[in-house]
Amino acid sequence: MELRVSAVVTALLLRLTCTGAHQPPGEPAYDPGLPPDLHSPHGSLWPLPQTVVISSMVYRLSSVTFQIVHSAESTASVGCSILDNAFRRYYYYIFGSSTGSSQRQATLNSTGGRGPGPGELRQLQVTITSSDPECNQHPRITSSEAYEITVAQPAATLKSETVWGALRGLETFSQLVYEDEYITHLINKTEITDAPRFSHRGVLLDTSRHYLPIKVILKTLDAMSFNKFNVFHWHIVDDPSFPYQSVTFPKLSEQGAYHPVTHIYTLKDVQTVIEYARERGIRVIPEFDTPGHTQSWKGQSNLLTPCYNGEKPSGTFGPINPALNTTYDFMNQFFKEISWVFPDKYIHLGGDEVNFACWKSNPTITEFMKKQGFGSDYRKLESFYVKNVLDIVTSNLKGYIVWQEVFDNRVKIKSDTVVEVWMARNMKAELSKVTLAGFTTILAAPWYLDYISYGQDWQKYYQVEPLNFNGTVAQKKLVIGGEACLWGEFVDATNLASRLWPRASAVGERLWSSEETKDLNDAYKRLTKHRCRMVQRGIPAEPLFVGYCDYEYKDYKEFN
């Protein structure tokens, strides 16, 4: 990777939006009188592009004259609202914090208030090259996110095959812009060629253990786009509550949500999240985990298994009852609705942590086991249920993702099933087994962000290498990415953003950038600045260490 930045320009270029912490990782305790160099040769770019060449030549940008526009050659130049909206968004991200000083900046530019300065860059011209720019579609696992940026006069250019690459390129371009002491916006002559290393880069939010208001979810989607994540794994229901308001089965949320009116996600809410995500190139994959994790599904009668205390019902309920035909009739209708509401090709079906105790206590289940020839192996009963649900989902033209237990329990699953590895113990061995069996794989095990510790735990997330397991080249190609998971036992709207960011940012770079991008000190310098940029954009991301941001946190308006 080649970088050409003069020492003088570097000092100005890398001031950017933040003065960061005094003690990078791996260095001795700081001396307040001798702050170390906090500037990376890569500026504040996050995640780091695949190739970047930064020149010493500098251009200025004026909020009065600068425009982001479609090029004449672009196939998306007419009626592509996803890009038109993104152009407005990123203009604000570049100039929003200092738009109040536009008149001052215009005066400085016109009068030469600080003496001779750099030439002016007036446009970023965006070109979509594909005959199908996908303006009106939803992103897919196969969607291209590659892009190229050239910053040079007379105009900067951003080229990509589809709108999804353009969205990623707009984020990178915005990160190249910085301010000097006169609040003049500057950018260096730059060449970037970029594409993600992994196609699935997800964030999991749990909205069952604590309800998350729509505003918080949308703000998280913004932050995901700043870090180039492209999958929102919505763990929408679980044992504690069922906030999804089903059109077909409204009693599920009426009886299963914390509150049937204030703590639910209506159809309109879900559609708002899906569209907001689409505008940022993010897929929404819902998870409806069964047969376990279903205590909140009590709104559907005869769905959960009655538990017994000896010969009498105990009044409690266990996993979904796999012995009744009505169970599968319900599942067929329910997943028809889910397939219609959520446009992504995939649904996450869970399948983890099934407690067999209630099934063992129930005499009807025992009799069913005998008839099916399962003996006393309740994993076979679980497999019977899961196989039926997988067939139902497949019949509704959806693919599915499952937690690793479904694979471990030897359920007969389709060859295109995606298996998510979440158990940290024996993680590498599990990756080897799943990929050896030919299944596409997602890694979550090392990135459970609900586990917190004092200090800079982002480093351990950053240092994970997803392909560090015994396997062939073909096996490793089956690992399509990973997810940062924030389970909700101790997380709600009050602390979600600070728990998630910038710790998830470390996962974002690991899944986007090249395998060789692993210098912790360089990452610290860039991430400190990137964290300040998120704060400037209205994300209350927690600090990495001691320091300050030029623009401290305030709540900015949202974009729709």
Side-chain angles (χ1 to χ4, degrees), residues 403 420-424 427 431 442-449 481-485:
W403 295 111
E420 185 160 9
V421 174
W422 72 273
M423 295 183 183
M427 175 186 76
L431 287 170
I442 297 168
L443 180 62
W447 295 314
Y448 267 43
L449 304 189
E483 293 187 342
C485 301

Side-chain angles (χ1 to χ4, degrees), residues 117-139:
E120 185 175 356
L121 190 73
R122 296 202 168 195
Q123 283 191 339
L124 171 63
Q125 297 180 356
V126 179
T127 302
I128 306 299
T129 61
S130 173
S131 59
D132 181 9
E134 302 185 20
C135 290
N136 300 312
Q137 299 178 28
H138 291 269

Side-chain angles (χ1 to χ4, degrees), residues 31-43:
D31 178 348
L34 297 170
D37 174 24
L38 290 172
H39 300 316
S40 163
H42 311 102

Side-chain angles (χ1 to χ4, degrees), residues 66-78:
F66 182 77
Q67 295 177 306
I68 305 175
V69 299
H70 298 281
S71 75
E73 298 80 23
S74 178
T75 58
S77 59
V78 178

Side-chain angles (χ1 to χ4, degrees), residues 39-102:
H39 300 316
S40 163
H42 311 102
S44 65
L45 291 175
W46 195 278
L48 190 67
Q50 300 295 332
T51 63
V52 53
V53 178
I54 303 175
S55 167
S56 60
M57 183 171 292
V58 182
Y59 310 112
R60 73 179 186 274
L61 294 80
S62 167
S63 61
V64 177
T65 59
F66 182 77
Q67 295 177 306
I68 305 175
V69 299
H70 298 281
S71 75
E73 298 80 23
S74 178
T75 58
S77 59
V78 178
C80 189
S81 62
I82 194 170
L83 284 185
D84 293 337
N85 293 338
F87 292 174
R88 288 191 291 270
R89 250 188 350 265
Y90 277 97
Y91 176 90
Y92 178 81
Y93 291 147
I94 293 170
F95 297 109
S97 63
S98 55
T99 50
S101 60
S102 295

